[in-house]
Amino acid sequence: MTTTLKDIAKQLKTSVSTVSRALQNHPRISAEKTKKIQDLARELDYQPNSFAINLKKKTSKTLGVIVPELSLHFFSEILSGMDETAHRNGYQLLICQSGEKVEREKEQIQNLYKANVDGILVAVSKETSNFGNFDLLRKKGFPVVLFSRTHPNFPSVHSDDINGGFLATKHLIQQGCKTIAHIAGPWHLYATKDRQNGYLKALETYHLPINQSLIIHSDLEKESNIEAVHQLLNREQNFDAIFCFNDYVAYDIIQVLKEKQIITGKDVLIVGFGNQPISTQMEPKLTSVDQQPYQIGIKSIEMILNSINSKIETSIKQTEILETMLIVRNSTYH
Amino acid sequence: MTTTLKDIAKQLKTSVSTVSRALQNHPRISAEKTKKIQDLARELDYQPNSFAINLKKKTSKTLGVIVPELSLHFFSEILSGMDETAHRNGYQLLICQSGEKVEREKEQIQNLYKANVDGILVAVSKETSNFGNFDLLRKKGFPVVLFSRTHPNFPSVHSDDINGGFLATKHLIQQGCKTIAHIAGPWHLYATKDRQNGYLKALETYHLPINQSLIIHSDLEKESNIEAVHQLLNREQNFDAIFCFNDYVAYDIIQVLKEKQIITGKDVLIVGFGNQPISTQMEPKLTSVDQQPYQIGIKSIEMILNSINSKIETSIKQTEILETMLIVRNSTYH
DNA sequence: CAAACGTATGCAATCGTTTGCACAAAAATC
DNA sequence: GATTTTTGTGCAAACGATTGCATACGTTTG
């Protein structure tokens, strides 16, 4: 049996309230009694019942997190930062995945809400285009923060994808490339626009012509990526570099180029995005844009704790944009 | 304000108990009243207060999970399986990381215990050698399951590392290798013994001599791995294959061999362990032993739910060993 | 020495549920 | 028609903590 305040009170022939106060070092309880109670509590290994406390205080010190897929390295690194920060602030994390399904995502939001978490952090699924679920929560004054996969109408934490795209493209230009292709992501991902805009901005800034046929969208599946390179290779005009939506796209593309005896880093320069482990594991090592996922995790927790603690309207739109930086490796440099 | 049973009762001029029962479809409540209550509940978007229910039922439908590092792909894939299975059974996951520190691990166990989770699943940290924390829990009859990084005295789920080591080594032998080295892990990891024993068993089975100088232990840090290959290269006698403790070790080693112009898959065959993404991303692609991490996740949850539901002594030692299988790729095959 | 105050404690309500039990009224039994 | 059984409802006590208020001292003050 677990020890309760009642047990301690009974043993010491005092009341539950006195015990409760003593354990909180309430000044009105005599030093002597306080000591006696605390000693016994220790001896009996008293653990306050969190359910009772939560019920009374209406707070669980728990945050809900929904990621599309736990095993995607990018997200697990964000989670790592979240866990660290949450714990430092006395919070725990109820983590679940949406599997990229809106239905599932909706269900998970419900679950977390029912579990009385103090706030919810979400990287929305690929399928999510309707943000009604989140709006409902927000209308109830419930703290919500979107991270990485965000939406402009909600408190958000994400990386500076525009600048990331800009840096990547600028680097290619500075390496002497003149015809830079871009394999972009699917339109419903918010990052797609940003990275592409960064790409366009760089071309503009350095007075290179913009050619729509050099921009190809992929749904990020392997087949789609391969299809994208083929499309590029079949154009009459040549290209000398590709800025890819992410590292996995870059990897798939480089495999195709290898088959065609096109040497990455010499014939064609390639830049990825995300600076995932794959970028150092593949051959050649991939130049990529780092997004500081761990930092995204930290900032997201900080933001939601802020909105929980300061009972200020959470509907104040708040956005944290994390710096991106280019990591140069062999795929653009020899 | 959130709706409570009381609110519904008041509006319908009935009692809280009747409302409670109606919502549970208790047969003793008239069909008419039940419908009225359920309708109003829906209308008011009544959400039962989980704290109160937990308090009453002394169960939280939440499981605690501790992993050494969230961002290690192996663990995040296990977590993915856990999440899936837990949710299918109406449980949620409180996930945290130990950062490979015993101290932190101990702290997290305390946290989870205080949070009144219904059970705890742990992959122990590298530092953990003393299992006293877990023993304490078990003595209280608290459900604990170790996974992946386990200990023979506790209910455990892990892969068949012995057979994994055996399969890997057998494959090398069948590829014609005669002098097979093994870069082993640190002794305190339980898997180290098993994988090494599998290696030894294969040599024995196929009548190859066992040579202790071909077995080198690494602490799995990059420097240590590099040091290990050098040690092998400096032996007077040559070797024609290396069975590595895991894929990352294999990767580091292959980098060193490349520098020395030794061609992996031709001059030396290499097998890794874990079948991590890196094994298909590196060049050459790595032959590796798959451990079914997702399955480990599923089985672990099933095991702990079992011990929660059947109130049978959880101290009955229970171990689930998952099959391993060899995935052959270019590092051992041309 | 009575009034006023400070100190130390306990009572009891509260948080939102669940559930055993009591108690009616209605229905079934003899 | 009296007795038993069924059916429908509500009371009140849990679950384990927190906290405003009352109370009972002992001490200071005028």
Side-chain angles (χ1 to χ4, degrees):
Chain A
M1 266 303 295
T2 58
T3 318
T4 68
L5 291 187
K6 210 180 188 173
D7 300 330
I8 300 182
K10 206 168 285 175
Q11 279 202 41
L12 260 32
K13 298 198 192 312
T14 177
S15 74
V16 173
S17 29
T18 302
V19 175
S20 170
R21 290 192 173 103
L23 291 176
Q24 300 174 71
N25 286 309
H26 188 112
R28 277 300 180 72
I29 305 296
S30 66
E32 187 196 14
K33 203 152 201 168
T34 297
K35 179 167 182 346
K36 220 183 263 176
I37 289 174
Q38 291 188 349
D39 285 350
L40 183 60
R42 203 179 342 273
E43 190 187 326
L44 296 180
D45 189 30
Y46 167 73
Q47 299 284 359
N49 181 309
S50 61
F51 299 150
I53 295 177
N54 292 345
L55 177 58
K56 198 80 233 234
K57 302 227 173 133
K58 294 171 177 305
T59 167
S60 60
K61 290 280 183 177
T62 299
L63 301 172
V65 186
I66 304 176
V67 293
E69 186 69 59
L70 266 164
S71 60
L72 285 181
H73 187 264
F74 181 66
F75 290 117
S76 63
E77 223 171 304
I78 291 179
L79 285 174
S80 187
M82 287 185 168
D83 177 74
E84 196 59 41
T85 317
H87 274 94
R88 219 189 2 264
N89 289 279
Y91 278 76
Q92 305 203 279
L93 257 33
L94 220 35
I95 299 173
C96 50
Q97 48 189 350
S98 63
E100 303 281 13
K101 302 275 172 240
V102 225
E103 248 338 291
R104 185 74 183 274
E105 185 173 270
K106 192 173 161 186
E107 209 180 292
Q108 302 283 29
I109 293 172
Q110 279 301 312
N111 283 339
L112 292 175
Y113 186 71
K114 279 188 206 157
N116 281 288
V117 295
D118 296 342
I120 297 185
L121 302 117
V122 190
V124 304
S125 90
K126 276 186 197 164
E127 287 184 5
T128 307
S129 54
N130 178 332
F131 284 70
N133 296 323
F134 304 107
D135 246 345
L136 272 175
L137 287 179
R138 203 174 29 172
K139 269 180 198 137
K140 291 182 189 164
F142 194 85
V144 179
V145 165
L146 303 187
F147 62 92
S148 173
R149 308 242 197 107
T150 64
H151 185 279
N153 289 350
F154 289 86
S156 300
V157 179
H158 61 87
S159 53
D160 189 345
D161 289 70
I162 300 183
N163 195 235
F166 180 84
L167 289 175
T169 314
K170 173 181 152 195
H171 168 67
L172 291 170
I173 296 171
Q174 290 178 336
Q175 291 296 94
C177 300
K178 301 277 180 229
T179 318
I180 303 171
H182 176 38
I183 305 215
W187 276 115
H188 56 265
L189 283 188
Y190 202 69
T192 295
K193 299 183 214 14
D194 284 357
R195 295 182 195 172
Q196 181 168 328
N197 283 337
Y199 159 82
L200 294 173
K201 193 173 128 201
L203 294 184
E204 229 172 284
T205 306
Y206 294 94
H207 310 100
L208 283 186
I210 288 167
N211 184 336
Q212 286 300 333
S213 76
L214 281 170
I215 302 176
I216 301 182
H217 285 264
S218 158
D219 67 9
L220 307 180
E221 296 301 322
K222 187 173 183 173
E223 299 73 38
S224 184
N225 298 336
I226 293 176
E227 164 63 18
V229 217
H230 282 137
Q231 221 170 307
L232 279 180
L233 290 167
N234 290 339
R235 283 167 21 104
E236 67 276 24
Q237 200 199 340
N238 260 3
F239 59 90
D240 50 18
I242 311 177
F243 163 46
C244 302
F245 181 76
N246 70 29
D247 292 343
Y248 305 105
V249 172
Y251 174 80
D252 288 343
I253 284 174
I254 290 176
Q255 300 317 302
V256 174
L257 295 181
K258 266 187 192 165
E259 282 168 22
K260 311 262 179 200
Q261 319 288 346
I262 300 171
I263 299 174
T264 297
K266 188 163 153 261
D267 303 335
V268 172
L269 308 197
I270 307 269
V271 178
F273 208 108
N275 195 28
Q276 293 296 299
I278 191 175
S279 60
T280 64
Q281 293 164 359
M282 58 199 269
E283 194 67 54
K285 294 192 186 351
L286 183 70
T287 294
S288 187
V289 176
D290 189 85
Q291 297 182 268
Q292 307 198 65
Y294 194 85
Q295 286 296 321
I296 293 181
I298 294 177
K299 293 293 177 193
S300 306
I301 296 289
E302 285 175 353
M303 184 178 287
I304 206 160
L305 289 185
N306 241 324
S307 93
I308 289 171
N309 296 329
S310 68
K311 274 291 164 209
I312 302 162
E313 267 303 302
T314 53
S315 59
I316 291 170
K317 209 181 67 193
Q318 204 184 347
T319 305
E320 176 104 35
I321 297 177
L322 275 101
E323 214 178 305
T324 42
M325 48 202 158
L326 190 75
I327 313 291
V328 177
R329 299 200 184 88
N330 304 135
S331 69
T332 63
Y333 187 82
H334 36 262
Chain B
M1 264 305 295
T2 58
T3 319
T4 69
L5 292 186
K6 212 178 187 174
D7 300 330
I8 299 181
K10 207 168 285 176
Q11 278 203 42
L12 260 33
K13 300 200 189 309
T14 175
S15 74
V16 172
S17 29
T18 302
V19 175
S20 170
R21 289 191 173 104
L23 292 176
Q24 300 174 70
N25 286 309
H26 188 112
R28 279 298 182 73
I29 305 296
S30 68
E32 188 196 12
K33 202 152 203 169
T34 296
K35 182 170 180 340
K36 221 183 264 178
I37 290 174
Q38 292 188 351
D39 285 350
L40 183 60
R42 205 180 340 274
E43 190 187 326
L44 297 180
D45 189 30
Y46 167 72
Q47 299 283 359
N49 181 306
S50 61
F51 299 150
I53 294 178
N54 292 345
L55 176 58
K56 197 79 228 219
K57 301 228 173 132
K58 294 170 174 305
T59 168
S60 60
K61 288 280 184 181
T62 299
L63 301 171
V65 186
I66 305 175
V67 292
E69 186 68 58
L70 266 164
S71 61
L72 284 181
H73 188 263
F74 181 66
F75 291 117
S76 63
E77 223 172 303
I78 291 178
L79 285 174
S80 187
M82 287 185 169
D83 178 75
E84 196 58 42
T85 317
H87 274 93
R88 220 188 1 265
N89 289 279
Y91 278 76
Q92 304 203 281
L93 257 34
L94 220 36
I95 298 173
C96 49
Q97 49 188 350
S98 63
E100 302 281 12
K101 302 276 171 242
V102 225
E103 248 338 290
R104 185 76 185 273
E105 185 173 272
K106 192 173 160 185
E107 207 180 293
Q108 302 282 31
I109 293 174
Q110 278 302 311
N111 283 341
L112 292 175
Y113 186 71
K114 280 187 205 158
N116 282 288
V117 295
D118 297 343
I120 297 185
L121 302 118
V122 190
V124 303
S125 90
K126 275 186 195 164
E127 287 184 7
T128 308
S129 54
N130 178 332
F131 284 70
N133 295 323
F134 304 107
D135 246 346
L136 272 176
L137 286 180
R138 201 172 33 171
K139 269 179 196 135
K140 292 181 187 163
F142 193 86
V144 179
V145 165
L146 303 187
F147 62 92
S148 174
R149 307 242 197 108
T150 64
H151 185 280
N153 290 351
F154 289 85
S156 300
V157 179
H158 60 88
S159 54
D160 189 344
D161 289 68
I162 300 182
N163 196 235
F166 180 84
L167 290 174
T169 313
K170 174 181 153 195
H171 169 66
L172 291 171
I173 296 170
Q174 290 177 337
Q175 292 296 95
C177 300
K178 302 279 180 228
T179 317
I180 303 171
H182 175 39
I183 304 212
W187 277 115
H188 54 266
L189 283 188
Y190 202 68
T192 296
K193 299 184 213 15
D194 283 358
R195 294 181 195 173
Q196 181 167 329
N197 283 339
Y199 160 81
L200 294 172
K201 193 172 129 201
L203 294 184
E204 227 172 286
T205 307
Y206 294 95
H207 310 100
L208 284 186
I210 288 167
N211 185 336
Q212 285 301 333
S213 75
L214 282 169
I215 302 176
I216 300 182
H217 286 264
S218 158
D219 67 10
L220 308 180
E221 295 302 322
K222 188 174 181 172
E223 300 73 38
S224 184
N225 297 335
I226 293 176
E227 163 64 18
V229 218
H230 283 138
Q231 220 171 307
L232 280 179
L233 290 167
N234 289 340
R235 284 168 20 105
E236 68 276 23
Q237 201 198 340
N238 260 1
F239 58 90
D240 50 17
I242 310 178
F243 163 46
C244 303
F245 181 75
N246 70 29
D247 292 343
Y248 305 104
V249 172
Y251 174 80
D252 288 343
I253 284 173
I254 291 177
Q255 300 316 303
V256 174
L257 295 180
K258 268 188 192 165
E259 282 169 22
K260 310 264 179 199
Q261 320 287 347
I262 301 171
I263 299 174
T264 298
K266 189 162 153 261
D267 302 335
V268 172
L269 307 198
I270 307 270
V271 179
F273 208 108
N275 194 30
Q276 293 295 300
I278 192 176
S279 60
T280 64
Q281 294 165 357
M282 59 198 269
E283 195 68 54
K285 295 191 187 348
L286 183 69
T287 294
S288 188
V289 175
D290 189 86
Q291 298 181 268
Q292 306 198 67
Y294 194 84
Q295 286 296 320
I296 293 181
I298 294 177
K299 293 293 177 192
S300 305
I301 296 289
E302 286 176 352
M303 185 178 285
I304 207 161
L305 289 186
N306 241 324
S307 93
I308 288 171
N309 296 330
S310 68
K311 273 292 165 210
I312 302 164
E313 267 304 303
T314 52
S315 59
I316 290 169
K317 208 182 68 193
Q318 205 184 347
T319 305
E320 176 105 31
I321 298 177
L322 276 100
E323 215 178 304
T324 42
M325 47 204 159
L326 190 75
I327 313 291
V328 178
R329 298 199 184 87
N330 304 135
S331 69
T332 62
Y333 186 82
H334 35 263

